[in-house]
Amino acid sequence: MTTRWAPAKKDTLRALATEILHNYSRGRAFVAVDGPAGAGQSAFADDLAAALVEAGHAAFRASVADFGRPRGKGGAVADGEPAPVDGALLRRVLVEPFRLGGSTAWVPAAFDSASQREVEPRWVTGPDDALLVVDGEALGRPELAGLWNYTVWVTPGGGRGGLRAVATAVVDVSDPEHPRRVFDDAC
């Protein structure tokens, strides 16, 4: 039996953080962590934000699930479909204020999907040079297209598919403690 080398989680996260900071260390930028349902986007986004902070850069977190629509208001979805997002709300209280920089505050969550209710806004501020790591599913859908500066597609293995083809980086998380970057360019 041969043993395959697998990178440690911290090494993969540090490499991604270094690449992101190489391109987006000045000003404000958005990093999307996308993938199929159940791929672990939220946990990976938490770890990536921590790696960015460890590298000495301000990083904040949000999830598109926290900008959902209540059931009965376009909130019902078919199995396998991503939950609907209130794109106008997401842009108004998170994206646009974050992009303004300075002392402008933004809201990292506006909806609780478990209770199907809006939540009291919690306003957050940060430095001019900051990254916002946003997790979700199908972040390239039309109402969200063009918001992200850098996209990480996390996958529990398997072939190309969905929005993976347009991601900046693809990470196989089939072994969460040893995620590995996948270079599967189509050229």
Side-chain angles (χ1 to χ4, degrees):
M1 180 197 300
T2 58
T3 303
R4 276 184 69 184
W5 176 83
K9 180 188 227 176
K10 65 180 175 154
D11 295 329
T12 299
L13 291 165
R14 283 179 183 162
L16 274 175
T18 299
E19 181 177 323
I20 292 166
L21 290 174
H22 174 76
N23 294 303
Y24 301 104
S25 64
R26 298 279 182 238
R28 298 249 175 117
F30 293 88
V31 177
V33 178
D34 200 348
Q41 297 94 316
S42 182
F44 192 85
D46 288 343
D47 293 340
L48 180 57
L52 290 161
V53 169
E54 181 184 291
H57 199 78
F60 298 89
R61 282 280 291 116
S63 175
V64 294
D66 295 330
F67 295 90
R69 291 188 185 125
R71 289 185 193 104
K73 293 186 179 182
V77 295
D79 286 342
E81 292 293 316
V85 172
D86 187 337
L89 177 65
L90 177 79
R91 287 174 192 272
R92 187 176 69 250
V93 301
L94 177 69
V95 173
E96 292 168 8
F98 184 83
R99 279 203 174 123
L100 287 174
S103 61
T104 305
W106 66 91
V107 175
F111 181 75
D112 178 10
S113 59
S115 66
Q116 290 292 300
R117 294 182 359 186
E118 294 179 2
V119 296
E120 186 70 31
R122 180 179 58 90
W123 295 90
V124 177
T125 61
D128 288 340
D129 297 328
L131 294 167
L132 183 61
V133 181
V134 181
D135 73 86
E137 185 182 336
L139 298 180
R141 56 186 137 174
E143 68 267 27
L144 305 177
L147 294 180
W148 323 118
N149 300 95
Y150 189 99
T151 304
V152 179
W153 179 270
V154 294
T155 178
R160 298 179 72 91
L163 300 169
R164 175 180 179 162
V166 297
T168 314
V170 177
V171 179
D172 181 341
V173 293
S174 52
D175 179 351
E177 291 307 310
H178 299 281
R180 60 183 182 84
R181 178 94 180 254
V182 178
F183 296 93
D184 59 355
D185 296 338
C187 50

